[in-house]
Amino acid sequence: MKNLVKLAAVVAAPALMIATPAAAQDSESYVIGLSGSVDSNCELIPEGSGTFAVDMLNVGNQGSLTILYSCNSPYTVSLESANGGMEHQESGGAVNIDYDVEASFLGIGIGATTTNSATMQGSPVVIVTDNDWSNILTNGGTRTGNLDLSFDSLSEYAVAGTYEDELTITLAANY
């Protein structure tokens, strides 16, 4: 009899678990979608426009210009020449003295690039690329550059008249 009671208890325990309904839990939720944005911000110093008198008889270093730049996104710095060189105005551009722009970190040769004005005529030439996603305070640099005239033939040198070009330095976000 004791065995029969034990057997009945062993069979009844699982039956109680199956027969007992689970207590239903009441639950509700509210989902909030969050969004935000930060506008692109690139800074180039100096900015705007300026003028520089090129010594058309000097084949050496014409001086230097230091630019500072920074962006809160990946960026490029590029150079573009309007005329592809110092265009002789009286000849309608028949004489065009190309020039090289040498640029490096603070003028000490680190990350140096040299670009010719004929190469960058109408098509910007990238001199710096930075692919970092950083804030504007840490994602920048400097370049110091100088301009050297390049007389390709003796017939170009010292032709009387006025010369013009427009060199554009562009800092652009890349995303």
Side-chain angles (χ1 to χ4, degrees):
M1 180 92 167
K2 283 184 181 182
N3 286 339
L4 188 59
V5 171
K6 285 182 188 178
L7 180 63
V10 168
V11 172
L16 286 174
M17 291 164 121
I18 294 171
T20 306
Q25 294 182 348
D26 186 18
S27 175
E28 294 182 3
S29 63
Y30 178 69
V31 177
I32 300 172
L34 303 175
S35 65
S37 66
V38 174
D39 291 337
S40 176
N41 185 17
C42 294
E43 294 293 329
L44 178 68
I45 299 171
E47 66 178 306
S49 62
T51 59
F52 181 79
V54 175
D55 180 352
M56 294 305 298
L57 299 176
N58 182 355
V59 295
N61 186 345
Q62 294 283 330
S64 66
L65 169 68
T66 299
I67 59 168
L68 299 112
Y69 49 86
S70 191
C71 247
N72 63 349
S73 64
Y75 62 86
T76 58
V77 178
S78 61
L79 301 175
E80 184 173 4
S81 167
N83 299 329
M86 296 298 293
E87 183 181 79
H88 186 257
Q89 298 303 291
E90 289 78 8
S91 70
V95 176
N96 192 329
I97 313 301
D98 63 321
Y99 56 84
D100 292 327
V101 175
E102 300 166 354
S104 64
F105 175 73
L106 295 177
I108 58 174
I110 298 172
T113 58
T114 300
T115 303
N116 185 273
S117 58
T119 304
M120 58 184 159
Q121 181 180 12
S123 180
V125 173
V126 174
I127 62 169
V128 175
T129 299
D130 189 313
N131 293 314
D132 293 336
W133 286 99
S134 299
N135 71 52
I136 195 166
L137 298 176
T138 61
N139 200 27
T142 64
R143 281 291 181 274
T144 298
N146 65 298
L147 184 143
D148 295 323
L149 293 177
S150 177
F151 295 99
D152 298 327
S153 70
L154 187 57
S155 64
E156 287 183 346
Y157 185 76
V159 174
T162 54
Y163 295 80
E164 291 181 2
D165 193 18
E166 190 172 85
L167 179 63
T168 302
I169 304 167
T170 302
L171 168 63
N174 295 338
Y175 71 95

